[in-house]
Amino acid sequence: MWKHSLLILILLPMLMQAQRRLEIGHRAAEKVIAQQDKFITPEGKGLPAGKGTAIEGKLVFERRCSRCHGQKAEGADDAALAGGIGSLGKPKELRTVGSYWPHAPGIWDYVNRAMPFKDPGSLAPDQVYAVVAYILNLNGLWDETAELNAAELSKIQMPNKNGFIKDARPDVNRNR
Amino acid sequence: MSSDSSRRRWLKYSAAVGGLLTGCTPNTNQPPGQEEDVVNLLGRVVSKYGERSPDQKITRLPGTNKHLEASSSLTPLAQTMGIITPSALHFERHHAGIPTLQEAGYELLLHGLVAEPLTFTLNDLRSFPSASQINFVECSGNSGREWSAKVSADVQTGFGLASCSEWTGVKLSSLLQEAGLKPAGKWVIAEGADACRMHRSIPIDKALKDILVAYGQNGEALRPEQGYPLRLIVPGWEGNVCVKWLRQLKVTAEPLASREETSKYTDMMPNGKARQYTFDMEAKSVITAPSGGQRILKRGYVEITGLAWTGKGRIDAVEITTDSGKSWQRAKLQEPRLANAFTRFRFDWMWDGLATQIASRAVDETGYVQPSRDSLLAVRGANSHYHFNGIKVWQVGAEGSVTHVEA
């Protein structure tokens, strides 16, 4: 008897937990999840099939990207994507994909989801791989003729991969 | 009799127009008696949706960059009153324009490390226990110009990427509980339905603590530029994590470290390393009147007023200097002082007509004291872009001009 009441005492909170569900919302269909879950991890999980070279990417870049980012991704109206490696923290700091971005799958993700600015999502996966290969090539991180794909992209070591640290605030003296 | 009546009508008209042009303060130069004439003029009929008086002109200040879809507009904080920002003046910061979304057919997806992945319509979300909270939202790039030698000349350009509203919605914790959060779930990735599907990773502790999935702002549905029909409100944290046009929440074990949490919204330190996941907005304040670009009209009584806020809870005190930093005195704080909301402060000042510098500094409930610009720069350098919360100093000239102080 005593044992039983102890069991109930232990189980009661768990039962209550289960009852808390308000039965609001609908179970999400796998299809809906697959449509929306396009996230790509820093390790490259989520990268789709596809391939491209920097030579191919140059053609895409000049047509779709260079007007804002410059012929050689040196920057124009919008951000420079190449150069500046080793410049962080120096007087002539230049933050680019090559100098600042810590992992390569993130480049694919951002080009795919947000570029070209006026028509995001309009590049096919092969075109995105090609453009990323070209940007990496301009940064000296990928051979011009080598074929870039999900596995290769995930292996690339970005120069600034160890460039990020934890928030250390509050960090400023409380001098009234 | 008839000429008397038309003269009377003309007086009413001129008094009304005169009022429009001068700002219609109670102490105009109208002779006594004419106000009655204005009052007697039959006014407009009722309407469905109100508009402000046509003589009220304050607006947001839009950016000037090439792509206004990836730009910002700044709240005129020196002209707004109290602590609530009118929805139409709440600052904007978009990354790929304002999407045109409708409530019909809109669904929020919640999946990942949960027992059951769920979708919610707006009606579903409104069926949950609801909550309202008054919170500021501040872009972490607010006051970014203060890091540079060219500091801002006025409150709107220097501090206008902050606003405060009453937000209504459902607690994110309610949704996570409904779906059955798994113990391995340590982060929530929130993604918007804008063209670039802007998204951020948020630690689960914060998600369970006080994040609101908001559908309401200041008593009505969110404005399109504020995320209609759905956005996150993450109290006290940088505005970028308050993902607008929210359509997907994915519970994960690790953060994504995607573009907006690596190449942007990270704080570069002098050693070339950048701080990442710097979510908190630390205590900050600014005198909104008298402030840069304004003018003190005469010696004697001047009400100093402004706003203070902190992402670490409540504002405990605001101190004012009117003698260029030699001494600091406590300002009066308007109640209620709410956590992670604007707090209005006021200070009675008798100005002696001499040139001086005035400034405010906030102290929050953790005891943190708003630092000077110099002490911030001494630790973080001038290149960290985000999270500037240094003291803002205004120069008062002997002739009553108020200007910024060159760095």
Side-chain angles (χ1 to χ4, degrees), chain B residues 98-114:
Chain B
I98 305 160
T100 303
L101 300 172
Q102 290 170 335
E103 194 183 305
Y106 198 88
E107 287 192 332
L108 172 66
L109 170 65
L110 169 57
H111 69 112
L113 295 172
V114 292

Side-chain angles (χ1 to χ4, degrees), chain A residues 17 20-30 32-33 35-42 67-68 77-79 88-91 93 95 100-103 106 109-110 112-114 117-118 120-121 160 162-176, chain B residues 66-67 69-70 95-96 109 111 116-120 124 127-129 177-178 189 191 195-197 199 247-248 250 256-260 262-263 266 268 270 272-280 282 312 319 361 363 367-369 371 375-376 379-380 383 385 387:
Chain A
Q17 186 94 14
R20 264 189 231 158
R21 180 114 149 64
L22 302 175
E23 301 294 336
I24 301 173
H26 299 273
R27 191 182 175 88
E30 285 303 321
V32 171
I33 297 173
Q35 269 169 0
Q36 289 202 37
D37 185 356
K38 305 287 188 193
F39 296 121
I40 293 166
T41 71
R67 219 180 72 191
C68 294
D77 290 340
D78 286 296
L88 302 183
K90 308 239 165 81
E93 181 179 282
R95 298 182 200 179
Y100 202 29
W101 289 42
H103 55 85
D109 174 62
Y110 191 68
N112 179 58
R113 74 167 54 234
F117 180 71
K118 299 270 186 192
N160 196 41
N162 297 320
F164 293 90
I165 53 175
K166 278 187 181 169
D167 189 0
R169 299 173 301 155
D171 56 350
V172 176
N173 290 338
R174 298 171 177 190
N175 46 351
R176 285 191 184 226
Chain B
K66 188 179 119 195
H67 299 303
E69 300 92 342
H95 293 75
L109 170 65
H111 69 112
E116 185 176 9
L118 296 172
T119 60
F120 304 104
D124 289 336
S127 307
F128 278 96
Q177 188 177 302
E178 186 70 13
I189 300 160
E191 185 184 68
C196 65
R197 290 176 284 134
H199 61 282
R247 69 158 191 178
Q248 178 180 188
K250 183 182 183 183
L256 268 184
S258 62
R259 190 255 192 181
E260 312 296 349
T262 52
S263 85
T266 49
M268 181 63 74
K273 303 281 184 190
R275 291 179 183 165
Q276 192 179 25
Y277 304 117
T278 44
F279 296 119
D280 290 316
E282 294 186 296
K312 297 275 184 73
E319 296 164 336
R361 70 180 174 200
V363 183
Y368 174 88
V369 181
S375 53
L376 264 185
V379 173
R380 299 186 202 160
N383 218 3
H385 289 2
H387 298 103

